[in-house]
Amino acid sequence: MGGVLSLLSIPSPDISKFSIGPLTIHIYALCLMAGMVFAWWLGSRRWKQRGGLAETFETIVLVAIPAGIIGARIYHVLTHWEDYFAPGRNPWSAFFIWEGGIAMFGSLIGGAIGAAVTARILGARLTAFADALAPGLIIAQAIGRLGNWFNQELFGGPDDGPLGLEIDPQFRPAEYADVPTFQPTFLYELSWNLAGGLLLLAIDRKFKLGWGKLFALYGVVYGTGRFWIEGIRTDFSYYFGPLRTNQVTALLIAVAGLTYFLVATKLRPGREPWVERKGVGGPDHVEASES
């Protein structure tokens, strides 16, 4: 039966971490880091193509990443409040981020705040930075979803079809203890985000979007995909009426992105004339021959 099952389903990895001496390496963390590196590389390349300085992009990212991690943890704690502050729980564990528990939506909020403050200090346009980052960001989120596969987490309901994901008994919800395969939501979101990243690159290449319009489309693509995929998942969530908390957040992001895109398309056609004050074409730009 096991052989037949493996032919008709997706196996889960046997390991989620490994050790190098006293150091334990979580594969989920490696997936997140790989995604960050890719988003950094592609975003920096796109930023420089727009006339920005590499060091400006790097400084903004170096602030946005830790701000995003803090935001991700805060969002997770707020949406899993009873895990940390219910009677008998240790409230200090809310700070134990190494035990797991981060949320992508919180990462976006925290990272955006960090990027906005840093961009203002450096004289860079936040809208241009966001547009440069958008395609790499959604592809990075696709890469990060591989970590859920290794952790055997955040899967959907029972699925006995050819895309059913094998989940070991210790990771199954109690109500599905005897169900061997589930919907591979990690694969759904990975595929959606990867296709979305390629779509954003194609749209920007053709229409040369600026003033944050490409990032707004990122919000539409990511938000709509996350909305329907979130509704399939079986992990714990608070609810707003019939919708999971993350579904509400995803819907708000998609609607806000679409609204901003429509308004900015009318009021801010084309691209910004310059992306940072010291960059190419900026008011503080100095040609090499002049310097």
Side-chain angles (χ1 to χ4, degrees), residues 50-53 122-123 273-291:
R50 292 284 305 277
L53 304 178
L122 297 178
W274 48 270
V275 300
E276 63 169 305
R277 296 188 64 87
K278 295 181 180 180
V280 176
D284 295 339
H285 173 240
V286 178
E287 294 288 350
S289 58
E290 297 176 18
S291 62

Side-chain angles (χ1 to χ4, degrees), residues 122-207:
L122 297 178
R125 293 188 190 271
L126 179 64
T127 54
F129 172 82
D131 285 340
L133 184 65
L137 177 59
I138 196 169
I139 294 175
Q141 290 170 315
I143 297 171
R145 280 303 172 198
L146 285 171
N148 300 136
W149 180 42
F150 280 93
N151 282 356
Q152 299 193 46
E153 62 183 0
L154 309 185
F155 44 84
D159 182 359
D160 58 1
L163 287 181
L165 176 66
E166 298 175 23
I167 297 296
D168 293 337
Q170 65 269 30
F171 298 112
R172 301 171 190 168
E175 63 270 30
Y176 300 125
D178 297 328
V179 176
T181 55
F182 298 80
Q183 293 194 59
T185 52
F186 88 91
L187 182 60
Y188 298 164
E189 192 164 343
L190 185 158
S191 302
W192 180 275
N193 288 349
L194 181 59
L198 296 177
L199 176 64
L200 292 181
L201 287 171
I203 290 175
D204 195 42
R205 186 177 298 112
K206 181 174 179 61
F207 298 104

Side-chain angles (χ1 to χ4, degrees), residues 56-57 59-65 67-68 107-122 124-127 129-130 133:
T56 300
F57 184 88
T59 301
I60 297 174
V61 170
L62 286 174
V63 174
I65 288 177
S107 177
L108 292 175
I109 295 170
I113 293 173
V117 172
T118 310
R120 183 174 181 82
I121 293 173
L122 297 178
R125 293 188 190 271
L126 179 64
T127 54
F129 172 82
L133 184 65

Side-chain angles (χ1 to χ4, degrees), residues 46-273:
R46 287 169 51 79
W47 177 257
K48 288 184 288 185
Q49 288 173 345
R50 292 284 305 277
L53 304 178
E55 55 266 32
T56 300
F57 184 88
E58 292 171 1
T59 301
I60 297 174
V61 170
L62 286 174
V63 174
I65 288 177
I69 294 174
I70 294 172
R73 183 59 174 179
I74 292 174
Y75 185 97
H76 172 79
V77 171
L78 291 177
T79 54
H80 294 75
W81 188 261
E82 293 184 356
D83 291 348
Y84 304 96
F85 301 102
R89 300 285 188 173
N90 176 17
W92 290 106
S93 64
F95 297 97
F96 300 166
I97 194 170
W98 56 88
E99 293 183 352
I102 57 175
M104 181 56 65
F105 289 128
S107 177
L108 292 175
I109 295 170
I113 293 173
V117 172
T118 310
R120 183 174 181 82
I121 293 173
L122 297 178
R125 293 188 190 271
L126 179 64
T127 54
F129 172 82
D131 285 340
L133 184 65
L137 177 59
I138 196 169
I139 294 175
Q141 290 170 315
I143 297 171
R145 280 303 172 198
L146 285 171
N148 300 136
W149 180 42
F150 280 93
N151 282 356
Q152 299 193 46
E153 62 183 0
L154 309 185
F155 44 84
D159 182 359
D160 58 1
L163 287 181
L165 176 66
E166 298 175 23
I167 297 296
D168 293 337
Q170 65 269 30
F171 298 112
R172 301 171 190 168
E175 63 270 30
Y176 300 125
D178 297 328
V179 176
T181 55
F182 298 80
Q183 293 194 59
T185 52
F186 88 91
L187 182 60
Y188 298 164
E189 192 164 343
L190 185 158
S191 302
W192 180 275
N193 288 349
L194 181 59
L198 296 177
L199 176 64
L200 292 181
L201 287 171
I203 290 175
D204 195 42
R205 186 177 298 112
K206 181 174 179 61
F207 298 104
K208 308 296 182 185
L209 298 181
W211 297 106
K213 293 190 287 290
L214 191 68
F215 190 81
L217 289 182
Y218 155 81
V220 175
V221 172
Y222 179 68
T224 52
R226 184 64 185 272
F227 177 82
W228 72 266
I229 293 171
E230 185 72 27
I232 301 172
R233 285 172 30 174
T234 58
D235 54 299
F236 168 81
S237 176
Y238 291 114
Y239 278 78
F240 287 94
L243 300 178
R244 292 162 62 93
T245 303
N246 284 339
Q247 282 186 290
V248 175
T249 305
L251 184 61
L252 290 175
I253 288 176
V255 171
L258 180 59
T259 302
Y260 180 89
F261 177 79
L262 295 175
V263 173
T265 298
K266 182 176 180 61
L267 300 180
R268 293 283 194 178
R271 281 182 167 176
E272 303 89 337

